[in-house]
Amino acid sequence: MSDRRKIIIDCDPGHDDAVAIMLAARNPKIELLGITTVRGNQTLEKVTKNALNICQYLGIDVPVCQGLGEAIVRKSPPVEERVHGDSGLDGPVFDPLTKQLDPRHAVDFIIETVLNADSPVTLVPTGPLSNIAMAIKKEPRILENIDEIVLMGGAYQHGNVTAAAEFNIYADAEAAHVVFSCGRRVVMMGLDLTRQALCYPEIVERMEKVKTRAGKLFVDLMKFFCMTQKRTFGWEGGPLHDPTTIAYLIDPSCIETKDMYSEIDITGGPSHGRTNCDFFNLMKDKEMNSKVAVKLDVEKFWDIVEDNLRLYDSI
Ligand code: BDR
Ligand code: CA
């Protein structure tokens, strides 16, 4: 039995999802069991192609399984083309795709992999939570072999898609409700944290010195990402949300968390999709079901990114 932490990344790549995959795939503390895809930043077909391209380019030999192309109850919101471009991963140019999609549905892959694992699995969702919620509902026995769910999503302060809600949670709030109330601990990397992980042009210049395939992919991705952050929001650097999940798994000391009770607003009103996090522990009768990230050690975070980009083949 390996002492590396077993994880499944459930994602919608997406520039920041791509970096999360890069950090996880070669890190010696992590065993990446597979990658599952979900509609989010782009359509399901596009994000799945992106996941396959990332794996092929970096030689990441794990199953990639396609999941849900729509939210589980409501109509999905529009894709995030302004930030991630028409392909969902604009910037890098990939060779023709030869890596094959695994034929299993993402939901079945998650169920099968978690049930068969000889030690608990950590789920790492970095997109809407549709696949994870479906897996829990289809086979609740998986909960016994999930140690925690370390996700990017939500905010205890301000949203990024509505005043109240963050994109991943808003995009499938009912699924998020299933996940936050499933009984396993959720570690929530919300916008409060990820807005501290700003990828400025100086960071891109720093990673340009990492002469590996992952370093090159990071730079190609982040040049596009910085450009769209500037064009869309007027910012010099944008939040690199999803890799904070993996940084936490690699070195939890880089992220300070606070235990809280958190629940999702699924009322359909103006705060639909908000993560209501009880920061001051006012609801004493509620069990603290989440560890909510509050503070990032920015220097450590970028060191983790650089160290892990260096683990790939040189160019
Ligand atoms: C989240 O939404 C997506 O645009 C990013 O990939 C990230 O997972 C941030 O709100
Ligand atoms: Ca994402």
Side-chain angles (χ1 to χ4, degrees):
M1 192 164 87
S2 135
D3 57 1
R4 291 190 296 158
R5 190 153 175 175
K6 294 183 166 58
I7 75 166
I8 298 171
I9 298 182
D10 183 60
C11 57
D12 60 338
H15 293 66
D16 52 337
D17 302 78
V19 178
I21 293 170
M22 276 183 225
L23 300 190
R26 286 277 168 102
N27 187 277
K29 291 185 181 168
I30 292 175
E31 184 181 352
L32 179 60
L33 302 177
I35 295 170
T36 51
T37 60
V38 64
R39 177 201 163 99
N41 287 322
Q42 254 301 352
T43 61
L44 181 65
E45 290 68 29
K46 288 185 181 179
V47 299
T48 303
K49 183 174 178 204
N50 294 341
L52 289 166
N53 270 324
I54 297 160
C55 289
Q56 177 173 298
Y57 181 80
L58 295 175
I60 300 172
D61 188 17
V62 298
V64 173
C65 302
Q66 183 164 268
L68 291 175
E70 271 298 322
I72 60 174
V73 176
R74 292 166 202 261
K75 192 170 154 29
S76 291
V79 296
E80 199 22 292
E81 213 154 286
R82 293 172 312 164
V83 172
H84 300 279
D86 176 57
S87 70
L89 200 66
D90 279 11
V93 179
F94 296 106
D95 289 338
L97 193 54
T98 53
K99 181 169 167 75
Q100 298 284 316
L101 185 64
D102 188 288
R104 290 168 285 183
H105 190 282
V107 170
D108 296 321
F109 173 81
I110 293 169
I111 292 171
E112 195 179 298
T113 306
V114 171
L115 287 182
N116 293 335
D118 59 5
S119 61
V121 176
T122 302
L123 300 182
V124 186
T126 61
L129 290 157
S130 324
N131 291 336
I132 308 290
M134 285 295 276
I136 291 170
K137 286 293 180 192
K138 187 172 180 194
E139 182 45 277
R141 284 186 308 138
I142 62 171
L143 292 170
E144 293 158 27
N145 208 25
I146 292 173
D147 56 357
E148 48 183 17
I149 301 165
V150 180
L151 61 84
M152 190 283 135
Y156 59 84
Q157 299 178 90
H158 318 290
N160 64 353
V161 55
T162 69
E166 179 279 332
F167 178 80
N168 287 343
I169 304 295
Y170 180 80
D172 199 342
E174 283 78 9
H177 167 73
V178 170
V179 172
F180 274 74
S181 59
C182 75
R184 303 313 296 164
R185 184 170 64 195
V186 170
V187 184
M188 177 180 129
M189 304 296 159
L191 297 172
D192 323 281
L193 179 92
T194 64
R195 285 180 173 138
Q196 299 167 47
L198 297 173
C199 185
Y200 288 114
E202 301 87 87
I203 296 288
V204 181
E205 279 165 34
R206 171 177 167 183
M207 304 306 167
E208 233 159 7
K209 300 195 185 83
V210 179
K211 301 287 183 200
T212 63
R213 286 178 81 78
K216 176 165 170 25
L217 183 54
F218 180 94
V219 170
D220 290 349
L221 289 168
M222 288 304 118
K223 281 191 172 160
F224 181 85
F225 183 73
C226 286
M227 185 273 286
T228 58
Q229 293 295 311
K230 178 95 179 154
R231 190 176 63 192
T232 314
F233 308 110
W235 299 339
E236 288 308 323
L240 197 58
H241 308 281
D242 297 338
T244 57
T245 54
I246 306 297
Y248 174 81
L249 296 176
I250 293 171
D251 181 359
S253 77
C254 78
I255 292 170
E256 189 185 313
T257 62
K258 188 169 158 45
D259 289 347
M260 296 182 208
Y261 169 67
S262 299
E263 67 178 26
I264 311 299
D265 185 319
I266 46 170
T267 56
S271 295
H272 183 75
R274 177 177 164 79
T275 44
N276 283 318
C277 303
D278 186 11
F279 192 94
F280 293 113
N281 190 20
L282 304 170
M283 299 157 87
K284 301 244 181 291
D285 56 323
K286 299 283 194 185
E287 198 185 321
M288 301 218 189
N289 58 344
S290 59
K291 275 185 145 12
V292 178
V294 293
K295 193 164 185 321
L296 181 71
D297 184 328
V298 176
E299 202 175 314
K300 247 187 209 178
F301 173 72
W302 291 115
D303 285 349
I304 291 171
V305 173
E306 180 176 343
D307 291 350
N308 284 276
L309 297 184
R310 287 192 184 281
L311 297 176
Y312 288 81
D313 300 344
S314 315
I315 45 168

